[in-house]
Amino acid sequence: MSTNITSVLKESRVFAPSEAFTQQANVSAEERERLVAWADKDPDGFWAAQAESLHWFKKWNKVLDWSNPPFAKWFVGGTINASDNCIDRHLTNGRKNKAAIIWEGEPGDTRTLTYQQLHREVCKFANALKTLGVAKGDRVTIYMPLTPEAAIAMLACARIGAVHSVIFGGFSAEAVADRNNDAQAKVVITADAGWRRGKIVPLKENVDAALAKSPSVTTCVVFNRCNHPVTMKDGRDVWWHDVMAKASADCPAEQLDSEHPLFILYTSGSTGKPKGVLHTTGGYMLGASLTHKWIFDIKDDDVYWCTADVGWITGHTYTVYGPLANGSTILMYEGAPNHPAEDRFWDLIEKYRVSILYTAPTAIRAFIKWGNQHVEKHDLTSLRLLGSVGEPINPEAWMWYHEVIGGGRCPIVDTWWQTETGSILITPLPGAIPTKPGSATKPMPGIAAEVVDKDGKPVPANAGGFLVVKRPWPSMMRTIYNDDQRFKDTYWSNYPGVYFTADGARQDDDGYIWVMGRVDDVLNVSGHRLSTMEVESALVNHPKVAEAAVVGRPDDLKGEAICCFVTLKQGNDPTDDLKAALKAHVAKEIGALARPDEVKFTDTLPKTRSGKIMRRLLRDIAANRVGTGDTTTLEDYGVLAKLRADEE
Ligand code: PRX
C-alpha cells in the first residue's frame, strides 16, 4: 500500500474535458453541483425524482425505510420489474427495431438482437423456466459463456421473479456446487462449452461434476454453443433449443415488490466462504440506469462496450441491466482479447464503430505490453469516452489509455465501486469534472463517501484513511444471502450506521479521492477479488499440506500475484512436481483465476505468540522488500531469517 501512496502523491497532471465534449454532455459542471447540493439537502427527494425515470407498475409510498439499519428498504410499496424496464418500454418508445445486443463469438460468428427480438427470446425463455417448475423467488444458477443467451437467461429470471445467481465460467465444479448449495438453486442454466483462446471450456462437464454434489438442483438447461459432445442425463437435463421450441412468446412481466430479490452474486471476503451478495429490484435498477446514463454520457446513437463477463458485477450492472434500461446498443464479445491476435479489441471497435469502451486496468497493462503496433493498425476514431474499473489504475497506464486508445480526445472515467455497492459510487462525470490520472475523483451525487480514521473522524487532506459511505443509497446490497449477521459484522460493525468498504483511500487538496486498495485479506488479481483464506483452505485440503499462508505480491500485469507459503506434512518432499500439483489443485478447487503464481515450501510460518500468521511479514518477503514493520510480537525470529535466506 505504501508504494501506491507515494506514486499517486507525485501525480499532478489534470485533464479537463474538451469544449466539444462538455457542450454535449448529459451532466454539466453546474448541473453536477446542483445535483450534489440537492442530494445532500434532501436525499429522499433527490432519489425519488431520479426514480421517476424507471417504469413502475405502482408508485412507492415511502422512498427509504431505514428504521432497521443496516437493512434498507427503498421505494417501499412500489412494484416494478427489471426485465420490463430493460425491454418492454423500448417497444413503445421508438427503439423496438434498434439493436439491443450486437454479439461476436470468439471464432468470429456474429448475431444482432433488436429490442423486439430480445423481448421475444426473453419471454419464451421465461415461459420455458415456468414449465420447468421455476416460480417466483426460486434461485437459478447461470453458468454460461458470454453469449446473448446469458443475458436472455438473466432477464427471463427477472421477468418471472426468479433470483439468478450467475457464476463466472472460469470457476471450477467445486465452486459451482458450493454456490448451488448455498443458494439452494433449483435449476442450472449452462452451455455445452464456450470458446476461450481458441480452446473449448467444457462448462457442461463441470456442471455434471457439480450436480453430483448439488441435491437442490432438479433441472439443467443446456445451450448448444459449440457442438461439443455432452452427456445428457435423462429426467434432469434438457436442451435450450428444445424447451424454446415449445415455449409461447407471451409472458407479461411479473409485477414485483420493489424489494423483491433480483440476484445473488458471490464474492470473496476476508474470511470464510464466498458471500452471496443480495441485490433487490427497484433500488438496484435505479443505481444501474442512472449511473450508466450520467457516467457514460449515453446517447441513443452510441455503441457501448463493457468488456466484463456477466459472471462479475460489472457485467450485471454495465453489460446488462444499466445499458438495456437506457435502451442502449451494447456490444458483447465472447472471447479473449488476444485471439486470434493481440488486436482483437481494436478490430471490434473499428468494425462496430464502438463509441464508449469500459474495461479494466489489468487489460490495459496487457495491451501496453503487447505494443502499440496492434492498436495503430485500426481506426479508433469512433471512440468518444473511455472507462476503467476493478482496481486502481496506475497513472502511466491511464496516460497510455488516454493517448494511444483515446487519441487524447476521450475523457476517462475511473469508476470505483464494488459487488456490494451495486453501481458506481465514485467517478468523474465526464463533462463535469477535470480528471487526474489515477484518481476516481469524487462521489456521485447522492453518495456520502468519505475518508475517515479508525474512529470514524474525517482525516485531513492527503492523509490516508478508510473509505466509508455515511448514508444508504438505492443500489446498496441488502444482505448476505442467508447470513444477516455476517452482513452486519462485515460492513456495519466498524462504524455504527456507516458502510465500511474495506478500501484505503486519501483525499487530496481538491477533495479528489485516490483509492489505494484493500485493507483486509482480499487479493485483487486482474481486477477480481479472491480471499487469501479461500486459497489457503484449498491448499490445506490437499493431503500433503499441513499449513498454508497466502499473500499478494505486486505484479505488473495482474495487479497482485498469488504467493503461497506452504508447510508439508511429515514424510513429503518439497519437490517442483509437488509445487505444480498444488497450483493445479487450487485451480481445480476454485478455478483457473485462483491458480497460485508462486508456491514456496517452508518448515514453519511466522506467527505471533497467540498463533496468528504474520502476513505482513510474508508480504514483505514475497515482494522482496526489506520489512520495516514491527516484529516484536513474532514468536520465533529464526523463521523470518530462514524465509529471507531461502529467498536469496
Ligand atoms: O478494492 C476496490 C477495487 O475492487 C474492489 C471491488 O471488487 P469487486 O467487488 O470484485 O468489484 C469490482 C468491480 C466493481 C474494491 O473494493 N476497485 C474497484 N474499482 C476500483 C477499485 N480500486 C481502485 N479504483 C477503482 N476504480
Side-chain angles (χ1 to χ4, degrees), residues 416-451:
W416 179 91
W417 60 299
Q418 308 177 300
T419 306
E420 292 88 339
T421 68
S423 62
I424 296 167
L425 298 195
I426 305 176
T427 177
L429 293 185
I433 290 197
T435 49
K436 302 185 188 185
S439 170
T441 74
K442 300 201 173 183
M444 274 284 290
I447 300 301
E450 280 182 32
V451 182

Side-chain angles (χ1 to χ4, degrees), residues 314 390-392 414-419 503 515 518 524 529:
T314 308
E391 57 180 310
D414 174 0
T415 60
W416 179 91
W417 60 299
Q418 308 177 300
T419 306
D503 274 355
V515 177
R518 306 284 303 190
N524 193 327
R529 272 162 68 171

